[in-house]
Amino acid sequence: MIIATSSVNIDENTKLAEDASEENEEAIAKLKTTIDGVVTVSTQAPFNDGREHSDGDQWYIESDGVYTAMYDYKNGGWSEKQWDQDSLNVKTLSALTADLGQVNAGTINGVTIIGGSISQDNITGGNHYQLWADYNGFHYRTTVVSSGHHQDIKMNDSGLVISNNFPSPITGRTPAPTVISGSDVITDQVTATGIVTGTISSTSDSTTNLYASSRVHSGNFTLSGGSVFGTLNGDVYFEYGSGDSGNSGASLHAASFNKMSQLSIKRNIQDVSGDYALAQIAGTDIKRFEYTDTDNSQQTNIGPIIDDKNVVGSRQYSVSHDLLTSKADGVSVDNEIGLLMAAVKELTKRNSELTIRVAKLEREVQQ
């Protein structure tokens, strides 16, 4: 006798059985290899493959010919296993994820290294060389061990940053870092013993410009704001040709030339008599001449000549010592003007005296 406690739909249960069979066949199709139900190789993690597994069974996951994981069956379930490092003996490790302490290696070829910092240092020949990378950028530092002075080169979002703590020989202070970013160079000071260039140009317009926030220094010559000066002896030469050419001076054109003359910057002040000024001018030969390295199109030159070819006693031309520069290679225009002013004053004085005498004589004659 059969007692039914509920109605049974035979068609529905048949369909459920068919669906379960199709799912089971699809799962079985995912298995690539099965050896007596002990070792299973699949493309995915363990799932219900419709087989009964026993303790000790193994399940491998394979992807593109590479085993990526291993599972053991125990106590009715699968658990993922890992290889102990002591048991590894391979030529190539691929897709390796590990927590490593100290790694000693020869060459590491990789795509991405993510970490706090990478560093290396060495002391050679009295210098300490350091190389490291961290979240501030890639750094290279050279330190002079004896003085502690160092130079840093760093690459970060700002560009290539070059800095050092060497005091500037010009200002005595530590210069601001130099930043090279794209086509821009931002620097506190430009120092060079010689710069050879065809053109210094700006891409923003058609002008040719050299920009510096502080100063431009080359050899003994410095440009700073509105000042031009020599850093050693104060002498600045404007010559034809390249630097230190030794050629004759170039012509200077300006609206005016102003000489500093404040009492606060002068010392050892002495009088210059009119008689002395007249004697110095009278003892100086004034000639008309041309410079040897210029053509006849240049303007006519009139003035003193310093005889640097003959020795004292046989010189062709005389020039007052007061008119010579400290190196005796030029004539001081300031001293020329000063002597001329003193001479004019003396002549004015003498002329006044003569005028008075003439007037007195004329009155005497008229009487």
Side-chain angles (χ1 to χ4, degrees):
M1 181 177 63
I2 299 175
I3 301 175
T5 59
S6 63
S7 61
V8 178
N9 188 326
I10 296 178
D11 292 337
E12 182 179 351
N13 283 280
T14 299
K15 186 177 185 305
L16 290 174
E18 290 176 351
D19 291 344
S21 176
E22 290 177 357
E23 291 178 359
N24 190 47
E25 289 178 358
E26 181 180 352
I28 296 300
K30 295 178 181 178
L31 302 178
K32 297 184 66 176
T33 307
T34 301
I35 305 175
D36 296 332
V38 176
V39 177
T40 302
V41 179
S42 175
T43 58
Q44 62 183 43
F47 58 89
N48 184 7
D49 58 355
R51 302 177 184 277
E52 292 185 3
H53 291 277
S54 303
D55 289 353
D57 286 1
Q58 295 181 337
W59 188 295
Y60 294 95
I61 299 178
E62 182 186 17
S63 176
D64 296 329
V66 177
Y67 292 121
T68 60
M70 177 185 70
Y71 294 82
D72 279 348
Y73 190 85
K74 187 175 182 180
N75 297 327
W78 295 97
S79 60
E80 187 175 5
K81 299 297 180 182
Q82 296 181 350
W83 291 100
D84 184 85
Q85 68 270 17
D86 293 335
S87 64
L88 290 175
N89 183 13
V90 296
K91 293 182 178 180
T92 302
L93 291 176
S94 180
L96 177 65
T97 300
D99 294 327
L100 304 176
Q102 178 175 336
V103 178
N104 297 319
T107 301
I108 299 177
N109 297 318
V111 178
T112 303
I113 298 177
I114 302 175
S117 65
I118 301 173
S119 63
Q120 181 271 340
D121 61 59
N122 183 39
I123 297 179
T124 304
N127 291 336
H128 186 196
Y129 300 95
Q130 295 173 284
L131 181 68
W132 76 94
D134 56 25
Y135 65 92
N136 288 317
F138 184 85
H139 307 258
Y140 174 75
R141 168 177 287 191
T142 301
T143 303
V144 179
V145 177
S146 60
S147 64
H149 291 155
H150 64 262
Q151 176 169 294
D152 292 331
I153 301 176
K154 177 172 62 176
M155 288 187 293
N156 56 24
D157 293 343
S158 299
L160 182 64
V161 182
I162 305 174
S163 60
N164 66 72
N165 67 346
F166 291 85
S168 168
I170 302 174
T171 63
R173 61 182 176 82
T174 301
T178 296
V179 180
I180 303 175
S181 178
S183 59
D184 297 328
V185 178
I186 304 172
T187 183
D188 180 58
Q189 176 178 302
V190 178
T191 303
T193 56
I195 299 177
V196 179
T197 180
T199 302
I200 301 175
S201 60
S202 170
T203 57
S204 60
D205 52 42
S206 60
T207 60
T208 299
N209 298 306
L210 175 61
Y211 296 98
S213 61
S214 179
R215 60 181 60 192
V216 177
H217 171 67
S218 177
N220 298 330
F221 181 77
T222 299
L223 294 173
S224 178
S227 301
V228 179
F229 56 92
T231 59
L232 292 183
N233 53 25
D235 292 336
V236 178
Y237 294 86
F238 294 88
E239 302 174 342
Y240 291 110
S242 58
D244 299 327
S245 65
N247 296 332
S248 61
S251 298
L252 299 182
H253 301 265
S256 63
F257 292 92
N258 302 306
K259 177 180 174 61
M260 293 185 295
S261 191
Q262 301 96 315
L263 174 61
S264 59
I265 62 173
K266 296 183 178 183
R267 63 182 182 181
N268 194 23
I269 301 174
Q270 301 177 15
D271 290 332
V272 176
S273 70
D275 290 338
Y276 179 84
L278 285 172
Q280 299 308 307
I281 293 174
T284 299
D285 295 325
I286 306 299
K287 301 294 180 179
R288 184 190 303 269
F289 58 90
E290 295 177 353
Y291 288 102
T292 57
D293 54 359
T294 60
D295 56 36
N296 293 327
S297 65
Q298 299 295 321
Q299 68 182 31
T300 300
N301 300 284
I302 299 176
I305 295 178
I306 301 172
D307 190 345
D308 57 345
K309 292 185 176 182
N310 301 302
V311 298
V312 177
S314 61
R315 289 175 176 168
Q316 300 180 40
Y317 306 102
S318 297
V319 60
S320 169
H321 180 75
D322 286 334
L323 296 181
L324 299 178
T325 60
S326 59
K327 295 181 180 180
D329 60 352
V331 174
S332 171
V333 176
D334 290 329
N335 288 2
E336 282 184 313
I337 295 174
L339 286 175
L340 288 173
M341 290 178 65
V344 169
K345 288 179 63 177
E346 179 64 23
L347 292 175
T348 300
K349 174 185 174 184
R350 293 183 183 185
N351 184 62
S352 297
E353 293 175 349
L354 288 174
T355 300
I356 294 173
R357 291 177 60 184
V358 169
K360 183 178 179 181
L361 290 173
E362 287 178 346
R363 286 194 302 268
E364 292 177 352
V365 170
Q366 292 175 358
Q367 292 177 355

